[in-house]
Amino acid sequence: MENQAEIFDKIVERRKSYRAFDLENQIPDEVVKRSLERAILSPNSSNMQLWEFYIVKKEEDKEKLTEICLGQAGAKNASKMVVFVCRPDKWKDRQKALVENLSNAFESRETPGAKQAYYYYEKLIPMIYDTSFAFVKDIFKTAFVWFKAMKGPFFRSVKASQVSIVVQKSTALAAQTFMLSISAEGYDSLPMEGYDEVRLKKFLNLPKEAQINMVVSVGKGKPEGLYGPRFRVPFSEVVFDV
């Protein structure tokens, strides 16, 4: 019987970026749903979960999205497409939910662990994620970080642009979990970063604060959808002992 590591090896090896999908073999809705449920379990910064996932499956909508994705081959015959969206503007909603959830983790606010958790989510999270009047606040945030860092290591990614990167990284982790799940289900995927973000946000009716992370096509990959054998630079060129 295979152990979990061997199974995971096969899932990772199986996942490849396909640019052609079999239109006769449509991916079931429940496979996409299960994979997004797994994606929601992905690790993310401060557990803020500042993401949204949009499933595009109607033919007319896929045609519009294919045009927005610059007519890429991997979009033209996808069974479905999922748009991974960053929502840094949802930080207040997520913060409120996380603070409310702390009562399930701690019996009292007065225990040492609870004090630290409540301080983090009630005081630090608003300081970091509130990007209104960013130009002015970034100056004060930078000064605050500089002062704290004089005493020792301190988190420095507090500017609006840096917060955006943090949210993008968390959403990308969810996208990777989703693609690995699609692979485990016996289907294939293609992450795409080539798109017109302005038109895509308008297509999804998103507010200006939202950010597109990536579009992922899914379906049953066709052999011709692989552009040659997989290539990776040698392990020794990218992995270093410290």
Side-chain angles (χ1 to χ4, degrees):
M1 184 176 179
E2 291 181 302
N3 63 33
Q4 290 183 330
E6 290 171 341
I7 294 170
F8 186 67
D9 276 344
K10 289 188 175 182
I11 293 170
V12 173
E13 287 289 340
R14 188 190 182 288
R15 191 224 58 80
K16 295 181 175 68
S17 295
Y18 279 81
R19 291 169 175 80
F21 299 96
D22 184 359
L23 293 176
E24 301 300 317
N25 194 343
Q26 295 289 308
I27 188 169
D29 289 347
E30 56 267 26
V31 169
V32 176
K33 181 177 181 290
R34 279 197 300 270
S35 295
L36 287 173
E37 287 172 342
R38 293 164 184 153
I40 289 170
L41 300 177
S42 300
N44 61 97
S45 184
S46 299
N47 199 27
M48 289 292 282
Q49 304 168 59
L50 295 170
W51 52 38
E52 290 177 341
F53 316 124
Y54 292 80
I55 307 170
V56 181
K57 51 189 176 181
K58 293 180 180 178
E59 286 303 320
E60 58 269 29
D61 289 335
K62 285 194 295 179
E63 289 179 7
K64 292 177 184 176
L65 185 50
T66 296
E67 182 180 356
I68 291 170
C69 289
L70 315 179
Q72 292 185 61
K76 288 180 179 178
N77 50 22
S79 179
K80 294 177 178 63
M81 287 188 275
V82 179
V83 186
F84 288 78
V85 177
C86 304
R87 292 302 304 268
D89 55 310
K90 295 268 188 177
W91 74 266
K92 286 185 180 180
D93 294 336
R94 303 293 191 267
Q95 179 221 22
K96 180 180 178 182
L98 286 163
V99 170
E100 290 174 353
N101 185 63
L102 290 177
S103 62
N104 297 323
F106 302 100
E107 293 182 2
S108 168
R109 292 179 65 115
E110 300 308 310
T111 61
K115 284 183 178 180
Q116 185 178 10
Y118 277 101
Y119 175 76
Y120 183 80
Y121 282 106
E122 291 181 335
K123 303 297 183 182
L124 291 183
I125 286 295
M127 186 197 79
I128 295 170
Y129 281 92
D130 186 357
T131 57
S132 58
F133 306 104
F135 177 75
V136 176
K137 287 183 178 179
D138 279 355
I139 296 174
F140 287 99
K141 286 180 180 181
T142 302
F144 174 78
V145 167
W146 179 84
F147 176 76
K148 295 294 262 185
M150 290 280 289
K151 301 178 181 179
F154 192 76
F155 181 73
R156 297 172 185 257
S157 298
V158 296
K159 293 182 181 179
S161 59
Q162 294 169 319
V163 171
S164 174
I165 293 171
V166 169
V167 179
Q168 287 279 353
K169 288 190 289 188
S170 291
T171 307
L173 288 172
Q176 174 69 344
T177 300
F178 172 75
M179 288 184 283
L180 288 173
S181 175
I182 290 294
S183 178
E185 294 275 1
Y187 290 89
D188 304 292
S189 62
L190 175 70
M192 296 182 290
E193 293 186 289
Y195 46 75
D196 184 323
E197 182 166 3
V198 172
R199 285 182 168 83
L200 183 47
K201 287 172 67 172
K202 184 177 181 180
F203 171 71
L204 296 175
N205 196 29
L206 295 172
K208 64 179 182 179
E209 297 85 1
Q211 304 164 9
I212 305 299
N213 180 255
M214 69 179 74
V215 182
V216 179
S217 292
V218 293
K220 191 67 174 178
K222 299 173 72 174
E224 57 266 34
L226 290 177
Y227 289 3
R230 173 182 278 160
F231 169 77
R232 292 293 186 271
V233 296
F235 183 89
S236 61
E237 291 189 18
V238 295
V239 179
F240 307 93
D241 291 329
V242 178

